[in-house]
Amino acid sequence: MNVRTRFAPSPTGYLHIGGARTALFSWLYARKTGGVFILRIEDTDRERSTQESVDAILQGMDWLGLEHDEGPFYQTHRFDRYKDVIQQLLDSGHAYRCYCSREELEQMREAQMARKEKPRYDGRCFGREDAPEGIEPVIRFRNPQDGAVEFDDLVRGKITVSNKELDDLIIARSDGTPTYNLTVVVDDIDMNVTHVIRGDDHINNTPRQINIMRALGFDPPKFAHVPMILGGDGQRLSKRHGAVSVMQYRDDGYTPQALLNYLVRLGWSNGDQEIFSREEMVSLFSLEGINRSPSAFNADKLLWLNQHYIKTLPVEELERQLQWHLQAQNLSVANGPALTDVINAQRDRAKTLVEMVAISRYFYEDFDSYDEQAVKKQFKADTAANLQVVHDELVGIAEWKGEPIHAAIHSACEKLGVKLGKVGPPLRIATTGGASSPSLEITLELIGRGRALERICHAISFIGSTMMAD
């Protein structure tokens, strides 16, 4: 079998975590089996679908690197095809026009509930030959009245639903537009989809879709319904749990590698392994490895994974990803050290790419103030004199590199008769504006000779003026 999977989001909002996981699982299974991954935009809800949401979905898929082999296909471009299929179902007796008013349907529902029956359409318009004037009918699929729908879900196992539990669902609205359960069946048939991997909130739709597909003379694909994602309180993940769009994670400084790694473990496992490269995901993924139980979203674990990838990704890849954040934070790296050198100096110190840019600004821009708490703790009466000795030692360095800088700082300490702890922290504040940076020799080397010496002089003057003011 040539495996063909699809991801079919509705463009009524952003690409969220649950949708991204569905897309990932579908993509992985296609790649694992040498199959085809299809992207389909289910945009028949004209009132809620927006181009902005379409763009957000495409942007999210691109950022995650989940490239599609076919598509994107848009359902709004296929209305003529759906119309033909609806007519085919009408002609074969598998569908009929329903003229029931909203009031009539409500009365039917109330009567059924009064009899303690499950509310469902009772099929009263099936076989009706008159066509009341002034009423545009909906079209309903005539669901089989007997038997059951049985299918082997690749995650949940055998599922059986009695046809008596299923009513005659609407497949075309009164304005002629097709409904979800009709369009998804037609698309899956036309696109030769072999495996439908989706959230388990679609399980109730599956028996209906199987019946429509069989009425059209086709065998259904295989289904794999993935359990939902929960928040920390055990409720379905939502905005109140901090669930945001995939692109918000990009904006917050997460790498796509970290998010994909987190998503693949959110409902799938391979023993106790936590870290998966893209290649490992493809080679190890299986539908059988998907858990039946819901998974809980853990923001701390995602942040831990992000920190891991910042530490371990090739520096060139981090450099590429940082470009967006540099622009977003309005930091130009044209006047300063090579960005790759700064990344290597900071990668163990940053949990997000946003943080990496923020803590690296002093390499490229001068600052006009110091961290107040650091100044109170480290700038003392003798600090200016100590920094002057350090400055004089640094001035004499022939080559502005880490080892000579390290030697010059230690030479200054020897001349002053003090330990590094007396000189190092003030020197760091003087050259970076704060109390935290990579090792002093790396920091000063990257800042550059001229800028570093100028900042030390500025700090000496600042300390002098401060002490006089006091």
Side-chain angles (χ1 to χ4, degrees):
M1 178 189 296
N2 181 25
V3 168
R4 294 173 63 85
T5 67
R6 47 78 160 178
F7 176 52
S10 297
T12 55
Y14 51 71
L15 177 61
H16 54 79
I17 285 293
R21 184 187 66 169
T22 297
L24 174 61
F25 284 6
S26 299
W27 182 87
L28 284 173
Y29 192 64
R31 293 292 174 266
K32 171 69 176 289
T33 58
V36 174
F37 177 59
I38 303 164
L39 178 59
R40 186 169 78 219
I41 306 298
E42 299 191 338
D43 57 347
T44 56
D45 187 341
R46 291 174 167 177
E47 291 185 3
R48 298 175 61 220
S49 296
T50 66
Q51 186 59 46
E52 182 182 6
S53 293
V54 171
D55 294 342
I57 290 168
L58 297 178
Q59 187 181 25
M61 295 288 286
D62 180 66
W63 181 68
L64 290 172
L66 302 180
E67 67 281 355
H68 50 274
D69 303 305
E70 296 180 9
F73 299 108
Y74 295 85
Q75 290 187 332
T76 48
H77 298 171
R78 290 171 47 79
F79 275 1
D80 287 344
R81 170 62 176 150
Y82 304 139
K83 185 177 179 181
D84 290 343
V85 172
I86 291 168
Q87 187 60 52
Q88 178 184 339
L89 290 169
L90 285 168
D91 293 342
S92 65
H94 288 101
Y96 60 94
R97 293 176 176 85
C98 173
Y99 297 91
C100 293
S101 65
R102 189 181 301 272
E103 292 75 19
E104 189 175 356
L105 292 174
E106 184 59 32
Q107 290 173 4
M108 180 193 310
R109 175 184 176 85
E110 290 177 357
Q112 289 169 336
M113 293 181 68
R115 298 192 298 268
K116 299 188 177 185
E117 297 174 359
K118 178 180 178 180
R120 60 199 298 275
Y121 183 69
D122 61 9
R124 63 181 60 182
C125 281
F126 179 68
R128 183 172 181 172
E129 296 181 359
D130 64 309
E133 291 185 9
I135 298 179
E136 291 296 332
V138 299
I139 296 176
R140 293 182 180 272
F141 173 71
R142 182 60 170 171
N143 196 77
Q145 301 302 294
D146 301 312
V149 181
E150 185 175 281
F151 63 98
D152 288 315
D153 190 276
L154 298 176
V155 174
R156 292 175 166 270
K158 183 173 290 187
I159 295 176
T160 303
V161 178
S162 170
N163 278 318
K164 293 187 181 298
E165 294 294 314
L166 308 174
D167 60 0
D168 295 350
L169 75 157
I170 296 172
I171 58 174
R173 303 177 183 91
S174 58
D175 64 359
T177 57
T179 60
Y180 164 77
N181 279 302
L182 184 282
T183 58
V184 71
V185 167
V186 176
D187 290 345
D188 285 345
I189 290 173
D190 290 353
M191 297 171 191
N192 298 309
V193 171
T194 63
H195 292 73
V196 174
I197 303 167
R198 59 188 181 185
D200 62 5
D201 53 327
H202 285 282
I203 282 184
N204 289 338
N205 291 322
T206 303
R208 305 173 185 274
Q209 293 167 7
I210 289 174
N211 280 337
I212 296 174
M213 191 166 286
R214 286 174 175 161
L216 291 169
F218 291 89
D219 292 327
K222 296 182 182 300
F223 293 93
H225 288 96
V226 183
M228 68 177 68
I229 301 173
L230 305 179
D233 58 0
Q235 300 299 309
R236 184 165 185 165
L237 188 68
S238 65
K239 290 181 181 179
R240 64 188 177 86
H241 297 107
V244 295
S245 73
V246 164
M247 295 313 295
Q248 186 62 51
Y249 287 102
R250 187 278 310 267
D251 296 353
D252 291 344
Y254 289 85
T255 68
Q257 291 85 353
L259 190 56
L260 284 176
N261 193 152
Y262 184 73
L263 289 176
V264 81
R265 284 289 287 114
L266 203 60
W268 174 83
S269 60
N270 181 63
D272 295 329
Q273 185 173 348
E274 292 289 349
I275 306 297
F276 293 87
S277 67
R278 192 180 181 90
E279 293 72 25
E280 286 178 314
M281 290 184 206
V282 172
S283 65
L284 296 172
F285 183 77
S286 68
L287 297 178
E288 294 75 19
I290 297 175
N291 304 324
R292 293 189 180 189
S293 302
S295 302
F297 187 83
N298 186 325
D300 291 337
K301 185 174 180 181
L302 174 57
L303 187 61
W304 173 80
L305 278 169
N306 200 55
Q307 190 172 18
H308 165 80
Y309 280 100
I310 288 176
K311 289 180 178 180
T312 59
L313 279 172
V315 66
E316 296 79 13
E317 171 64 15
L318 287 177
E319 181 183 29
R320 182 187 67 79
Q321 293 187 34
L322 273 173
Q323 299 307 312
W324 186 91
H325 296 281
L326 290 167
Q327 185 174 1
Q329 295 190 44
N330 194 28
L331 177 61
S332 170
V333 295
N335 183 27
L339 182 57
T340 51
D341 291 339
V342 172
I343 291 170
N344 282 329
Q346 299 279 44
R347 62 163 73 221
D348 287 342
R349 308 176 62 81
K351 294 181 179 180
T352 70
L353 297 180
V354 168
E355 182 183 7
M356 181 175 283
V357 172
I359 65 175
S360 301
R361 186 172 289 273
Y362 59 79
F363 287 119
Y364 301 99
E365 292 181 352
D366 289 328
F367 46 88
D368 53 15
S369 63
Y370 301 104
D371 179 274
E372 290 186 11
Q373 291 299 113
V375 167
K376 287 181 180 179
K377 184 176 181 180
Q378 299 294 343
F379 280 8
K380 305 298 182 182
D382 60 349
T383 301
N386 292 346
L387 287 177
Q388 186 63 57
V389 174
V390 175
H391 174 275
D392 295 343
E393 288 295 315
L394 290 171
V395 167
I397 294 177
E399 185 180 20
W400 193 259
K401 294 291 184 181
E403 288 188 14
I405 292 171
H406 177 84
I409 294 172
H410 280 268
S411 175
C413 290
E414 291 178 5
K415 287 186 177 182
L416 291 166
V418 298
K419 293 184 178 180
L420 182 60
K422 183 77 171 177
V423 170
L427 178 59
R428 178 172 279 111
I429 298 168
T431 52
T432 70
S436 179
S437 80
S439 66
L440 281 170
E441 56 265 31
I442 291 176
T443 299
L444 267 62
E445 178 182 342
L446 292 176
I447 289 173
R449 180 196 296 268
R451 185 174 270 167
L453 294 175
E454 183 179 341
R455 289 178 181 178
I456 294 172
C457 289
H458 181 272
I460 292 171
S461 299
F462 172 82
I463 295 169
S465 62
T466 302
M467 293 302 168
M468 288 181 63
D470 291 343

